[in-house]
Structures are given as C-alpha cells and as structure tokens.
Amino acid sequence: MLRKSFILSILTLITLTAFSQKKFEAPDVYYKWNSLSDQKISKNGEIISWEVNKLKGDGYLHILQPQKDQHDSVYRAGDAQLSPAGDFVAFSIKPHYDTLRQLELDGVPKKKFPHDSLGILNLSNGNINKFPAVKSFKVPGEETAWIAWLHEKPVSSKKERPDTTETADSLTTDTTKETLTGEKLVIYHPASGFRVEYDQVDRYEFSRNGQLLLFSQKIKQEEEDQQDSIKVWVFNTGNRQARGIFEGAGEIKDIAVDRQGDSFAFIFSDDTSEVKDYHLYLNEKKIADTTLTFLQPNHQISEHSILQFSRDGSRLLFETRQVPEPEAEDSLTAEEKYHVDIWHWKDSYLQPQQKIQKKKEMTRDYLAFYDLKKKKFIQIENEKIKRAFILKDNNSEHAYGFVSEPYRRQISWTGKRYKDIWYINLKSGERKKILEKHANRTSWSPAGRYMVYYDESDSSWWALDIKKDSKVNLTKELNIPFYNIDHDTPNQPYAIGTAGWDKNQKVYIYDRYDIWKMDPAGKEKPENITAGYGRRNRMQFRYIKADREAHFLPETLLLRLFDKENKDAGFARANINDVSAPKILYKGAFMVYGFSKADNSQDIIFRKGNFREYPDLWLSSMDFDDPQRISHANPQQSEYLWGTVETTAWVNANGDSLSGLIYKPENFDPEKKYPMIVYFYERYADRKHAHYIPKPSHSVINFTRYVNDGYIIFIPDIKYKEGYPGKSAEDAVISGTLHMIGQGYVDKDRLGMQGQSWGGYQVAHLITRTDMFAAAMAGAPVSNMTSAYGGMRWGSGMSRAFQYERTQSRIGATLWEKPRRYIENSPVFYLPEVTTPLLIMHNDQDGAVPWYQGIELFNGLRRLDKVAYMLVYNNDKHNLRHWGNRIDLSIRMKQFFDHYLKHEPMPLWMKEGLPATEKYRKSGYKLTD
C-alpha cells in the first residue's frame, strides 16, 4: 500500500492538539507506540528514508523527496537502499505481523512462513514493483542505477538449462544430469526495464561503481558420489552481457569485487577429502594454494576468509589458517566417553571463557594480502601477532599488530585488556614492538609515521615517531586533565580521546571541553583551536565526521556541543587553522544524535528530541539556519499526559555537591503530596533530555509511565569513594531523598526505590541501612560480595574478581586483603535490619550477575520472615529480552509499587503467591479486596 503526501502534511500533524488526556494502561498502550530507525540520505541529498515501526506490529518505510515536496510511505517495508543515481528506492516488504503470529499459534514450522518481498519504488512516477520471496538484494554504492536480488526458493527441480534471458549466448551450458537446486538471481535496471535472470546462484557481489557483478552458480549432481558443479560468471552492466570465467567440480567459499570493477576474486576447492585444500583465484587465474612458499608451515588458504580488496584495488586481502586435523574416528560408546573440563592455574583464560571462544579459536585465521602489481604475497598476522590492521583502507605500507596473550590472566583481577603494540612495515618486512602492556587510547597518523597514545602512569598523551624511534610528551606543559575527571573506580581513568589528524600530520586531542591541535614531532606548541571557550562555558565540543571515508580532518569542523551546565545540546563550527571561539550554529533544550550528511550536497539529517518530544528526524543545511522536522513518529502522544523533567542540586552531610533529575506529572500541583520512586544507576543528570516512550520493562521502571500515573521520579547522581560503594550510595540517595522531601510536595510516607544490576545491589544495601522507604525493587542484585567475588560472569566466561577489585564495585582490594570491606558492603550480613518490603527479579539465565545472588538475598529474608518476593523469568537474561516476560514484569512491578505507595489493593500473586501447579494457568494479577 502506497500513500502520498507533502512535507506540509507531516508538519501539520505536529500542531494537532488532543481532545482528551489518557493514562498509559498497560499492556495495550505499548502496541500503539512507534520507534524511528534506519534513517538515510542519498548522495545528492534528494532522497531521505526512515522507518517507523511499532514495538509489536507492522510499520512503515517513509521516503521523502524534499525538493519535490513529495512524501511516500510504504506499509510493512524496511531495510531501504537508495539508488546512487537517485531514480529508485529498494526495500524489503515483510509479511503481516498478525499473519506470522497466527501461523506461530497454529504450530506452523518457521521454515514454512511466508518470505519477505522486494519492493522497488520508481521515483519518477511513484510506481512500486513488487517481487515475492526475496532472500537478499544489493544496490551498488556509486552513480549507477542497477539492482540485483536473490529469490528464496529454487526455481525448478527439473533437468534443464539455466534461464538465460537477454544473454543466452554467453550462458549456454549443457546441463544434462544436473538438477536446479539453487536460488534465482535477478539483475535489473529499473530505468530501462532491462532484466536478466540466472538460476542456481548462491553468491553475488557488485563492484562499488556498479560496472561489474560477480556471481557463482552451484549445480547439484544427481549421483551422490559426484561433487557439485561450480560456475563463476561476470556480468558487465555496460554491455549487459555475462561471461563465464570459471567452471569446476567442488565448492566455492567467498567472492569479492574491487571498487573499480577491474578485479574479482574467489576461493574454491575441488578436494574431496575430509580436510580440504582451498585455492585462491584472482580474476580467472589461481594464484594461491598450499604449495606457495609464503605460507607458514602447515598452513593453508582459509575457507573462512572474507575476501576484500584495498580501496585502490592494488591489494587482495584474505586469510590463512593452520591445516585442521581430521576428526578422530569415534570408537567409544556414549557410556565409555569421559566429559571433563580441566582448569589449570596458568591458563590464560578460564575454562568458561575458553568454551565461549572455542569456535573462534578453532577457526583462527591470519590476515594476509596479495599485491596485484608486484605479484607478491605478504603474511601480516601470524601465531604471535594474531590481530593486525593496515592503515588507509588497507592501502598503506604501514600496519599495526596487537599481542595480548602475556596479560590475559590479569584481566580476571584488573579488568584491563592490556596488549603489546607492534609496528609492521609491509614494504621492508620490519616488525618491532613499540609499546608494552598498553590498555588506553591510541591513534595512528594516516601517513603511518606517528602513533599517539595516552599513558596512564603520568596522565599524558605521547607521540611516537616510528621513523626516528623517538617519542615526545605532548601534554606535559598543559595544566589541564585529558582524562575523565569524573572517574571514581579503583584504577587509572581513560583518556577522553582524539578527533583525528589533518593533512599536515597534526593530531587533534580532546580535553573535557575543548579540542587541541598538537604536533607529534614536538616542534610546535599545542594550540587550543576552540580557544578555551568550552572550559570557560562548561561546554563540550566533539567533532562530527561528515565524510565517513575521509582519512583527514577537513579545514572546517562541524562539532556536536553539549552544555554541562544546563544539559542543552546542538551544533557548532570551528576552523583547524583559526584559534577562536567556535561559532554556535544551533543550540537548545534537546539532545541531538544520528547525524548523516549527503556526500555531494550540504544537506544533513539528524535526530532531535527531549523528554517531552520524541527524537524525530530533522533536515537542515550545514549552517543550520532553518532546520525542518520531517518525521512525526508518535502523533498519538498528544492524547496522553506526559510530565516534565528538571535538574536539582544539594549538598550531602559530607559537604559533597550532588545533582539529580526530577520527573514531575503533567498537571503538577506543588500544594499536593506525591508518592515518589527513587531510581539510580551511577550518574544520570547528563541524560536530562533523554526521551522514554511507554514500553514494557527490560528491568527498570519506565519513567514516563510512572509520571503519567501521578508519581514523582527522582534520580540522584552518585559519587563513589573507593572501598565504600554502599556507603557512597547511602550518602547520595538518602541525602537526595531528604532534599526532595524538603521541597514540600513529596509524601515522606510513600517513598519507593528501584534499581537494576549495580543499582539493584545498592537497593539491597540501602534497605539494610534505612527504613525511610515503604517499598523497594532490586533487579539482579549482588547480595553477598564474599561469594560473588569468586564467582563467574557466565555470559563472558570471565571471573568476577576484577569488578570488585578495580571496576564498578569499587572495593579496591582482594577478598583476603580487606575482607571487612566485602562484609560491610554485603547486604546479606545485615538482613535483620530490613523493614522495607522487597521485590527481587533475578533470572535463571543471567550472564552478568549469577542468580544465586538473588537466591541468597531472598532466602535470608524468608528465613527472617521479612516481606519479600522474587520473580525468576525462565531462560531469560540479565535484562529481559522475551516480550511476554517484559510485559509481565511491568505489570507486577507497577502493582507492587501501587499497593505500597498508593495504597491500592494487593494482587493475588502478592497475597497468596503463585504455586508451580498454577503456572501458565493463572497470572495472579487480579486485585484483592
């Protein structure tokens, strides 16, 4: 279904006012809300697309042509690709959500569900062509008007020759004894209507300029002992002819085409053994197999290679691997086999982490490339340097590698991913270690001569001259911190970062507010190109990279600004050769993100919103003289009460200045007394202008929904002191709550508290220290640091020790060095003090905080006959993913707080529980008298 309108009609929606104000009645309201995503702008700025999808249900793809004032929307469409020539938009069209839902209810296997279709909108006439059952589609990246797609289903199972529409002569092949089993490739030129189809295709790839399309056919033989037949073709979009360039029995693994359409490559094997030998082909010639001398001993071309040409097409990148050993013959029964994990104290990774990374390690590949001009192979990665990259889109003579193995054990207690950094000269073959045990920010000059890095030991940025093997401290003379000054965990803070390099090999480094130009040679003094304006006005400036493929900074920088004082945001402009205050282009009480610029025009799109306004899509020129809102994802919001947000500040008993956010109901009356829920997680004040649509909870309260229902929401920032995370939370939360009570509109007898994960731990701790809260909810809380310290983060396979010693838990020592700190910060040791009813959520597949921590907390409270409930969502994660579980949590958490803070009736699940025998049969939502 296609609907047309003008930009004016979109903007008119914004001015509509509601005739009534509603409350968010869950769960029905969740299905009314939309989210905007996948915004794109064409190279010439003449086409803009974005998706607006329901949280559950069918959405629309929106296509805007601003210069024509034409706006099209396509029902159930998404994944848009914009024609570089500006003549069409291609997109997927999904089956109806209700249709798929009913098929699932009917028990239909998903492989029998209807497939996506392909839609192509002709922008000249507004017509849409639709093609059913499309597996994938591709559009070249540059100024061409072609598209290709692959149909899901085999075209035929009969013995016949491939469909050779338009190019029969070039594809005539005797296919006797061949069965068509592959998928159909369609190559289409919408402007002229030219279309050609090829059967049995399994891979296809355009060159970036669209002049060449490489594809392979896989033809299954009828005889079981025969290998499949492989054919590789090149389709030339200029003469619209396909040419066969390879044929053989075997299997093909990957294909690639360079940007210019001059070269192509693929990996093929005709080996019938269990461990296959793979060959690398460039154009029509085999250039590599196991006989080549550049390979490391017992290595081969990897079947897992992701082939890639360098940007200029002079190199073909691929990967090698150790020849795998054949699987041992299975001669034991299941009963006779042993199943054991051996944990060794010298293992670099613990066994759980080894298991998670097993597949990666079993298919470990090593980067190499072939120089097309020199006809030479270079092996870059090897069994010592297992990670490396080449500068300047793989065109440079300079590469850098990383070695982390010597420090892997330490990650269990430091949390730092230390590595040695190696320089690799691809011309001379030189390899040298240039930095040891580094875990902070680094940046490389595109020309390859310099590397700058942040050294934690002296809080300085250093420049390393690779050619001279010398280094310079860039920031030692500047009395300004270049690290995060809000850092408050027991390790060294990270640097803020870099903006990039200019053509003169000067590097641009951020401090907390401003941008500095620095000479890595150390000859020129650092220059603050924003002239200290950011620091004087507490305003952060950060470079926006408009050209994603540029290696160097442009002379004029577009900057994103953020006002640390009032939390406003916007855009500014600065010049790298002019030390002066940035020009403020656009600023206000909102947040901005999602920036994209047209390559060949000054048109840009970005997202802008705040707590009261959904972050819709805006269109502007680079000078921001008249930005226009071009989307309105949630016009129904005007029908609902929403609320307001403001910052607040206070001083705690220790004399620390603290800040926080206050969310108030729409029709706030300062003479009334409101129930208040305190939520917290580290620091939130900078998120003042974040927008929260009403949606089911992953783990925390939805601020918008609770404010809509008459709650005050208070979010205090927490400043931590090493060794005392619980006490730090007390100092911030209790003082902040007293500050809020002092405002006169908060009911001190109707206070609630909620937090998840680290916030959940602090909720559990606080109820052992104060009785000021009438109800509390703790999601995935650590309740016993002494047992959690030695536990696992099962999601990553890592030990939890690093978190307590050096990161978020902030103890700053091992359990045996300062055991008292672990006990003092563990709620389970102080449960007799609890008087607050507690709701716990801890799910049985939590990969971050082991759910036995929730069990320890619940069992302790139960033993002491304290009011406690625990929700355990089966087969769900740290933060809920399953939609039904999210709906359920939202309902139960709201009922819990409504009962204790608004004195509404208690639901049955709180009054009587929900026995296992009634699971799935009853919900217990019904309210009692």
Side-chain angles (χ1 to χ4, degrees), residues 9-140:
S9 66
I10 302 176
L11 300 179
T12 302
L13 288 172
I14 301 172
T15 64
L16 294 177
T17 57
F19 56 84
S20 63
Q21 296 292 331
K22 302 176 184 177
K23 288 187 177 182
F24 297 128
E25 297 298 337
D28 293 343
V29 71
Y30 301 140
Y31 296 92
K32 298 179 181 179
W33 239 261
N34 304 309
S35 63
L36 188 151
S37 62
D38 200 27
Q39 60 268 19
K40 294 183 173 76
I41 186 168
S42 63
K43 286 179 172 292
N44 57 14
E46 295 178 1
I47 313 169
I48 301 169
S49 71
W50 66 93
E51 294 179 35
V52 175
N53 292 304
K54 292 188 177 299
L55 296 181
K56 286 288 181 181
D58 299 319
Y60 283 89
L61 171 68
H62 293 261
I63 301 164
L64 177 67
Q65 298 178 78
Q67 296 176 11
K68 297 180 180 180
D69 281 346
Q70 180 160 324
H71 171 230
D72 301 309
S73 58
V74 188
Y75 186 43
R76 307 193 324 274
D79 305 319
Q81 292 194 32
L82 312 183
S83 164
D87 55 352
F88 70 85
V89 178
F91 42 82
S92 295
I93 303 175
K94 301 184 182 302
H96 284 277
Y97 171 81
D98 289 341
T99 299
L100 298 178
R101 183 176 182 275
Q102 188 60 52
L103 290 172
E104 187 171 357
L105 288 172
D106 293 341
V108 176
K110 289 195 174 182
K111 64 181 179 181
K112 294 186 178 181
F113 280 18
H115 300 294
D116 290 356
S117 298
L118 169 66
I120 301 177
L121 170 64
N122 187 319
L123 294 174
S124 64
N125 58 27
N127 294 333
I128 289 182
N129 291 325
K130 183 177 177 181
F131 306 92
V134 170
K135 180 179 181 180
S136 64
F137 65 93
K138 297 180 181 180
V139 175

Side-chain angles (χ1 to χ4, degrees), residues 426-461:
L426 301 177
K427 186 175 182 179
S428 67
E430 176 191 16
R431 292 171 179 251
K432 61 180 179 179
K433 187 194 300 185
I434 57 174
L435 203 58
E436 284 192 342
K437 200 178 181 181
H438 186 71
N440 215 297
R441 295 187 182 273
T442 50
S443 180
W444 292 266
S445 64
R449 177 167 180 173
Y450 297 102
M451 181 185 80
V452 298
Y453 64 94
Y454 181 78
D455 191 333
E456 299 174 350
S457 66
D458 60 7
S459 302
S460 296
W461 277 96

Side-chain angles (χ1 to χ4, degrees), residues 416 483-494 512 683 720 806 810:
K416 291 277 191 179
Y483 54 84
N484 177 16
I485 64 172
D486 293 327
H487 180 87
D488 58 7
T489 61
N491 57 29
Q492 294 296 322
Y494 280 94
R512 180 176 174 84
R683 303 187 189 200
Y720 292 95
R806 296 298 171 194
R810 297 172 167 91

Side-chain angles (χ1 to χ4, degrees), residues 35 43-44 118 183 185 222 344 364 374 474 496 518 523 528 551 563 694 713 718 818 836 853 886 915 927:
S35 63
K43 286 179 172 292
N44 57 14
L118 169 66
E183 295 147 329
L185 174 69
E222 288 190 338
H344 193 286
R364 168 71 68 179
K374 298 178 180 179
L474 300 176
I496 295 169
M518 299 190 183
K523 296 178 180 179
N528 187 326
H551 295 125
D563 192 318
I713 302 298
I718 301 175
K818 296 187 177 177
T836 304
Q853 287 293 310
R886 292 173 57 197
L927 301 181

Side-chain angles (χ1 to χ4, degrees), residues 487-678:
H487 180 87
D488 58 7
T489 61
N491 57 29
Q492 294 296 322
Y494 280 94
I496 295 169
T498 61
W501 298 73
D502 66 20
K503 292 182 179 179
N504 298 316
Q505 296 198 84
K506 300 297 189 295
V507 64
Y508 293 74
I509 298 177
Y510 296 127
D511 70 22
R512 180 176 174 84
Y513 300 103
D514 293 298
I515 306 175
W516 293 78
K517 176 164 64 172
M518 299 190 183
D519 176 16
K523 296 178 180 179
E524 301 176 19
K525 291 184 177 181
E527 290 183 325
N528 187 326
I529 66 166
T530 48
Y533 181 88
R535 184 165 296 275
R536 290 193 303 273
N537 296 277
R538 296 199 66 207
M539 193 176 296
Q540 289 181 342
F541 294 102
R542 299 294 180 256
Y543 169 58
I544 297 174
K545 189 175 183 179
D547 183 353
R548 296 295 177 184
E549 295 191 346
H551 295 125
F552 302 102
L553 296 179
E555 183 174 337
T556 300
L557 304 183
L558 180 64
L559 306 177
R560 176 175 54 83
L561 68 86
F562 179 73
D563 192 318
K564 291 288 288 184
E565 195 68 33
N566 60 20
K567 316 306 180 186
D568 290 356
F571 301 99
R573 182 185 295 138
N575 190 293
I576 63 175
N577 298 316
D578 180 16
V579 176
S580 62
K583 180 179 180 181
I584 308 300
L585 303 173
Y586 190 57
K587 182 176 182 286
F590 44 72
M591 59 188 298
V592 292
Y593 63 98
F595 176 94
S596 294
K597 180 184 176 297
D599 291 347
N600 303 324
S601 79
Q602 293 297 299
D603 298 306
I604 63 170
I605 56 175
F606 62 96
R607 302 280 299 276
K608 184 186 88 168
N610 55 32
F611 178 65
R612 293 182 59 84
E613 295 183 10
Y614 182 82
D616 273 302
L617 193 61
W618 289 66
L619 171 64
S620 176
S621 63
M622 287 286 282
D623 57 12
F624 291 88
D625 55 354
D626 186 26
Q628 298 292 318
R629 185 178 186 176
I630 60 174
S631 76
H632 198 48
N634 288 299
Q636 78 285 353
Q637 181 179 322
S638 62
E639 302 174 21
Y640 292 85
L641 297 169
W642 204 258
T644 61
V645 62
E646 62 192 63
T647 55
T648 188
W650 69 99
V651 177
N652 68 11
N654 300 322
D656 295 326
S657 297
L658 299 172
S659 60
L661 299 177
I662 308 171
Y663 294 85
K664 296 177 179 178
E666 181 82 24
N667 301 315
F668 174 74
D669 181 354
E671 301 302 319
K672 288 179 59 177
K673 294 286 189 179
Y674 290 87
M676 183 177 78
I677 297 177
V678 185

Side-chain angles (χ1 to χ4, degrees), residues 712-729:
I712 298 287
I713 302 298
F714 171 52
I715 309 179
D717 283 355
I718 301 175
K719 294 182 179 180
Y720 292 95
K721 295 179 180 178
E722 181 179 329
Y724 304 97
K727 185 64 166 61
S728 299

